Amino acid sequence: MFSLVDLLVSLRGSQDRETGDGRREGQGHQDAVWQGCDMLTSDLFTSDPCLSCGISDGSESIEFILQTSEFSGLAVLHQSRRDQVLESCRAHSESSRKRRVLTPDDLKHLVVDEDHQLLYCYVPKVACTNWKRVMMVLTGRGKYSDPMEIPSNEAHLSANLKTLNQYSIADINHRLKHYLKFLFVREPFERLVSAYRNKFTLKYNSSFHKRFGTRIVRRYRKNATADALLSGADVQFREFAEYLADPLTARDGPLNEHWQTVYQLCHPCHIHYDLVGKYETLEEDAGFLLRLAGVGDGVRFPTYAKSTRTTDAMAAAFFGNISTAQQAHIYRLYRQDFLLFNYSQPAYLRLE
């Protein structure tokens, strides 16, 4: 039986659009990834002239299938999210003279599932542990059946999942063009506060205390005690905020993945994600994705709720303890994520 996901792959694979300089996609640079800002035109959830090129007359349109199935309502929602990303990327491209092509090193957050032709860009603090568990079930070929049976530390072992940067350029391009690509996002400041709480307020994260906490205490705490300088275990949020706002931090190199922007982790203005899920609608979006992948009956996304989840009220309390200047700087740092994924500027910010 020709399934919905078969049709999606067929539609994606039939594309042969021409770029602005006359090249066909997939040609040109052999040492770089083919997708770029000027190619953000395809749409998974609606009939598109570019998508229908090369489809046989006997193939039903994806628009018809989605409108006459249980997927229709969610399809409209996810189309609007993709449109939001597209428009934000276009606006950003028009306002910036910087142009770049992705390299394999930019793709280390994209987990590959060959059996179901999926690419998942994981974003820390957006249910990525459970998504990695699910990907281990999908790629394990029977080794695992229940995602929650996989210990969290095992889910984060790099050897357990293959990422796109491990492939050749040709294989990278093939998977970017033909596989179903998805990511999950979260309100940026809730995600940031969640990262702070997890990495700097819990005793078991001593590696983060040593690697980042000692540096933060040394730079931003006056009259720090010898113990604080040695352990870095009691970083305050205002010190973490000062670290993020300090130009010296940018010169140190890319931010750690737990507080790096989604824009920098997943490159949504270069990679055409077919589905943008949200932490706020995690269960519904995860179920939709798994049904699109053809595994909705066999694999369930874990549904338990964490009582310690960082909320908007918590984020407001933390941001209330930092200066207006720090608030403004951090908002500028994460502004692209707010715009790309349609999150409103928090009402609690005191921006000048």
Side-chain angles (χ1 to χ4, degrees), residues 25-221:
E25 289 181 352
Q27 296 179 345
H29 303 285
Q30 296 301 308
D31 59 345
V33 176
W34 67 272
Q35 291 181 320
C37 297
D38 55 335
M39 301 175 190
L40 283 165
T41 57
S42 63
D43 195 323
L44 177 65
F45 298 113
T46 60
S47 180
D48 184 298
C50 292
L51 287 177
S52 60
C53 295
I55 300 296
S56 66
D57 292 339
S59 296
E60 297 175 276
S61 74
I62 189 169
E63 183 178 19
F64 174 79
I65 289 178
L66 292 174
Q67 286 179 350
T68 57
S69 74
E70 61 182 313
F71 294 99
S72 57
L74 287 172
V76 173
L77 170 66
H78 287 285
Q79 177 184 326
S80 70
R81 291 179 182 175
R82 285 168 50 83
D83 288 345
Q84 176 68 28
V85 172
L86 171 63
E87 292 305 318
S88 295
C89 288
R90 284 176 173 165
H92 180 70
S93 178
E94 291 171 0
S95 65
S96 174
R97 295 182 179 181
K98 295 181 180 179
R99 302 282 292 181
R100 67 184 295 258
V101 177
L102 298 184
T103 65
D105 191 56
D106 293 311
L107 307 175
K108 57 190 176 184
H109 271 248
L110 274 83
V111 176
V112 183
D113 173 7
E114 296 289 2
D115 293 341
H116 304 94
Q117 297 192 339
L118 298 175
L119 293 178
Y120 160 56
C121 186
Y122 71 89
V123 178
K125 310 312 299 177
V126 191
C128 81
T129 301
N130 281 345
W131 267 117
K132 286 183 177 182
R133 285 169 165 149
V134 169
M135 294 297 283
M136 287 178 67
V137 172
L138 293 177
T139 60
R141 300 188 177 185
K143 183 178 180 180
Y144 309 101
S145 58
D146 181 0
M148 293 310 295
E149 291 179 351
I150 302 173
S152 59
N153 63 319
E154 190 173 334
H156 292 293
L157 291 177
S158 59
N160 286 333
L161 290 167
K162 195 166 185 179
T163 50
L164 194 58
N165 62 308
Q166 298 172 267
Y167 290 75
S168 69
I169 297 298
D171 287 341
I172 288 173
N173 285 333
H174 173 81
R175 283 155 182 77
L176 283 174
K177 190 172 184 180
H178 294 286
Y179 284 20
L180 183 66
K181 301 173 290 294
F182 71 99
L183 77 164
F184 274 72
V185 300
R186 182 178 186 178
E187 201 280 338
F189 286 171
E190 286 185 26
R191 176 177 168 247
L192 180 64
V193 170
S194 177
Y196 164 77
R197 294 177 64 213
N198 180 258
K199 300 306 176 186
F200 293 109
T201 69
L202 300 178
K203 292 182 178 180
Y204 68 79
N205 271 322
S206 57
S207 62
F208 271 80
H209 303 161
K210 285 285 188 180
R211 184 179 176 188
F212 297 101
T214 54
R215 184 188 313 172
I216 291 172
V217 170
R218 185 173 65 252
R219 287 182 181 176
Y220 310 112
R221 185 178 301 179

Side-chain angles (χ1 to χ4, degrees), residues 283-301:
E283 186 174 347
E284 182 179 48
D285 292 344
F288 182 48
L289 183 282
L290 292 173
R291 281 180 287 161
L292 282 179
V295 296
D297 293 332
V299 181
R300 299 291 182 184
F301 191 85

Side-chain angles (χ1 to χ4, degrees), residues 18 255 274 328 331 349:
E18 187 169 291
L255 295 176
D274 303 303
Y331 180 72
L349 289 186

